[in-house]
Amino acid sequence: MTPRVSIVIPVYNEGEAILRCVDRILRDVLLPSEILLVHDMPEDTTVPYAEKLAAENSHVRPVLNTYGRGPANAIRFGIDTACAPVAVVTMADGSDDPRQIDDLARLVERGVVVAAASRYMPGGQQVGGPRLKRFLSRWAGRSLHWFARVGTRDATNSFKAYDTEFVRQVGIESRTGFEIGLELTAKASRLRRPVAEIPTIWLDRQLGESRFDLGRFMPSYLRWYFFCFGRRLTVGQIAARGPRHAQVSLEKESKVSG
């Protein structure tokens, strides 16, 4: 059976903890789905457990990312590999609520191109996490909602569902961090394509270390923040930006991190 939703999970040395993550998804997601566990290297500690899960359940697929290391490349590769018309990106650390994957996917099936799980709309909540990161994320989300009319109060959250055809049309330029959620929301906004949101309760990860580096990723977030403001663009204009702008952005980020 062709899946209705591809669940893309970038993983990095999650080890045995991935078993609990996937078990929750298998238990809570009711739509026909595939789970893509995207890793950057064969020696990742997640791989043996991912292969065990795949042997036990045909819906689970360990996938080796060949686009380059880092969460952005892993997510980009996962969406490109997805078989379903809807791709949901979620984290392996237990911060996202898998019970909401069905609702996000159904919003895309109804016609939105980006469906966001929002921490900052009524009914949403963020529990834990670095204080500065929380402040900046909330400020960015609310200001984009008020002034750029992006359709969600939480444009920076990675927990989103996408129309895979839309993503393949506009492309993904991000190459380093977790700014893909903001990038695709920004592109949908400039195209005047529908974006929707549902409230979510986000919990800071309990195991392992976060890969989020605020100083390193901030230039990319600022770039897409400001991109949300502007005149309407066409798909052709958005797609034409891709390779050249992605390379320029990568070079700038390398200089900043260096």
Side-chain angles (χ1 to χ4, degrees), residues 18-19 37 39 42 44-57 60-63:
I18 197 63
L19 299 177
L37 302 176
H39 53 279
D44 190 295
T45 63
T46 316
V47 173
Y49 299 98
E51 292 176 343
K52 178 178 183 293
L53 288 164
E56 296 172 350
N57 193 307
V60 180
R61 284 204 288 150
V63 180

Side-chain angles (χ1 to χ4, degrees), residues 4-7 28-33 85-88 98-116 160-163 194 196-198:
R4 286 171 60 182
V5 55
S6 296
I7 303 167
D28 294 334
V29 175
L30 303 180
L31 292 176
S33 62
V86 180
V88 174
R99 294 174 299 178
Q100 297 181 302
I101 290 175
D102 284 347
D103 291 336
L104 291 169
R106 288 191 175 101
L107 281 172
V108 175
E109 290 181 336
R110 290 173 57 192
V112 308
V113 296
V114 178
K160 288 183 172 71
Y162 304 102
D163 180 319
E197 64 180 355
I198 61 173

Side-chain angles (χ1 to χ4, degrees), residues 38-40 63-69 73-74 76-78 81:
V38 188
H39 53 279
D40 289 347
V63 180
L64 177 62
N65 163 33
T66 61
Y67 285 177
R69 294 192 177 187
N73 285 319
R76 189 166 61 95
F77 186 86
T81 305

Side-chain angles (χ1 to χ4, degrees), residues 15-36:
E16 190 175 4
I18 197 63
L19 299 177
R20 183 170 58 181
C21 169
V22 172
D23 179 67
R24 292 175 63 209
I25 292 173
L26 290 171
R27 182 185 67 232
D28 294 334
V29 175
L30 303 180
L31 292 176
S33 62
E34 63 172 354
I35 302 172
L36 306 179

Side-chain angles (χ1 to χ4, degrees), residues 139-141 143-144 147-148 156 182 186 220-229:
W139 176 85
S143 60
L144 288 175
F147 303 117
T156 63
L182 178 55
S220 294
Y221 276 95
L222 287 174
R223 172 194 173 201
W224 291 114
Y225 177 89
F226 289 113
F227 183 78
C228 290
F229 300 88

Side-chain angles (χ1 to χ4, degrees), residues 194-207:
V195 175
E197 64 180 355
I198 61 173
T200 193
I201 297 177
W202 182 93
L203 303 176
D204 193 24
R205 67 182 300 153
Q206 301 299 309
L207 298 173

Side-chain angles (χ1 to χ4, degrees), residues 137-234:
S137 175
R138 182 182 294 271
W139 176 85
R142 289 185 171 178
S143 60
L144 288 175
H145 179 257
W146 290 333
F147 303 117
R149 305 291 184 184
V150 298
T152 174
R153 297 165 181 83
D154 199 353
T156 63
N157 195 1
S158 295
F159 188 23
K160 288 183 172 71
Y162 304 102
D163 180 319
T164 52
E165 181 60 28
F166 164 77
V167 177
R168 290 163 187 168
Q169 285 177 349
V170 302
I172 294 175
E173 299 170 43
S174 300
R175 295 292 186 270
T176 51
F178 294 93
E179 68 273 15
I180 285 177
L182 178 55
E183 174 187 343
L184 292 174
T185 302
K187 288 181 174 180
S189 179
R190 293 292 298 274
L191 288 167
R192 307 300 189 257
R193 300 290 293 275
V195 175
E197 64 180 355
I198 61 173
T200 193
I201 297 177
W202 182 93
L203 303 176
D204 193 24
R205 67 182 300 153
Q206 301 299 309
L207 298 173
E209 296 182 1
S210 172
R211 300 175 70 187
F212 189 89
D213 185 333
L214 182 61
R216 181 185 176 197
F217 299 155
M218 182 59 75
S220 294
Y221 276 95
L222 287 174
R223 172 194 173 201
W224 291 114
Y225 177 89
F226 289 113
F227 183 78
C228 290
F229 300 88
R231 62 182 176 83
R232 183 172 185 168
L233 298 177
T234 66

